Amino acid sequence: MEIVWIIGIVVAIIAVVAILGVALRGMRPKIPEAQTFTPVPVMRSSTASAATATPAGTSPEVIAQIDRLMAAGKKVQAIKVLRDHAKLGLKEAKDRIDHWSISTTAAHIAAVSNTSPTRSSISNAHSGSALPAAVVAEVDRLIAANQKITAIKLVRERTGLGLKEAKDLVEARGSGRSR
């Protein structure tokens, strides 16, 4: 009879160990599944409006600005512009920029060019785009008032140029005025 009890206890211990093993295995952290971005299909044709094919809050001017930044390889600035105008989160804006294709329907305010900015005029500061005379006048006023940092910020906002390029343009404009 003692052997029956010993076999019963051994079977019970094996059952408890098996149950605990299954329970602990279920509590083990799992490797997260890879997430993939599935973009919303965007149909861009000559009849499609760029405003309807892109997130709300993006005008053709904003699309053109993002196109210029992407063509210039300035992905971070393009994400910032999209976030500011479309009120998107960082991840969603980044995903959209990762899958961005240069628009064929946006009104391109400034065509992309491989030429470097001219040093003589801010009106030609960004790849052939002309800034409004009021903006050029404001930049000149800021330079005359020795507010170069504010002038650089204004040039960057209006052209999408990087910090170094905008600084070089403002300094060139300032040195041209002092002569």
Side-chain angles (χ1 to χ4, degrees):
M1 187 74 175
E2 283 183 28
I3 197 129
V4 174
W5 277 101
I6 293 175
I7 292 175
I9 291 174
V10 169
V11 169
I13 291 174
I14 291 174
V16 168
V17 168
I19 291 171
L20 285 175
V22 170
L24 290 175
R25 195 171 305 132
M27 295 171 57
R28 184 180 304 164
K30 296 190 180 5
I31 298 173
E33 293 180 20
Q35 297 179 350
T36 57
F37 175 74
T38 52
V40 177
V42 176
M43 302 298 288
R44 289 191 179 180
S45 68
S46 59
T47 59
S49 161
T52 60
T54 56
T58 53
S59 64
E61 291 80 15
V62 173
I63 294 169
Q65 183 179 8
I66 293 171
D67 285 347
R68 286 191 308 272
L69 290 169
M70 290 299 292
K74 297 180 179 181
K75 188 175 177 181
V76 173
Q77 289 90 341
I79 292 170
K80 287 179 183 178
V81 169
L82 183 60
R83 284 190 71 200
D84 290 344
H85 292 283
K87 307 296 184 220
L88 297 174
L90 178 60
K91 180 172 179 9
E92 186 177 358
K94 182 193 176 297
D95 289 343
R96 287 183 184 242
I97 292 298
D98 284 343
H99 299 290
W100 189 269
S101 62
I102 304 298
S103 172
T104 57
T105 59
H108 284 76
I109 295 171
V112 175
S113 170
N114 291 329
T115 60
S116 61
T118 61
R119 297 187 57 79
S120 62
S121 173
I122 289 182
S123 62
N124 292 327
H126 187 264
S127 306
S129 67
L131 287 176
V135 175
V136 175
E138 179 66 12
V139 169
D140 287 341
R141 185 192 67 76
L142 290 168
I143 292 170
N146 202 20
Q147 296 179 339
K148 287 186 178 181
I149 293 174
T150 308
I152 292 168
K153 286 180 183 179
L154 180 65
V155 170
R156 289 188 71 198
E157 288 173 3
R158 299 301 176 128
T159 64
L161 289 173
L163 179 61
K164 181 177 181 347
E165 294 88 1
K167 179 181 176 280
D168 290 345
L169 287 170
V170 169
E171 286 178 350
R173 186 81 175 169
S175 65
R177 291 185 53 81
S178 62
R179 291 179 185 166

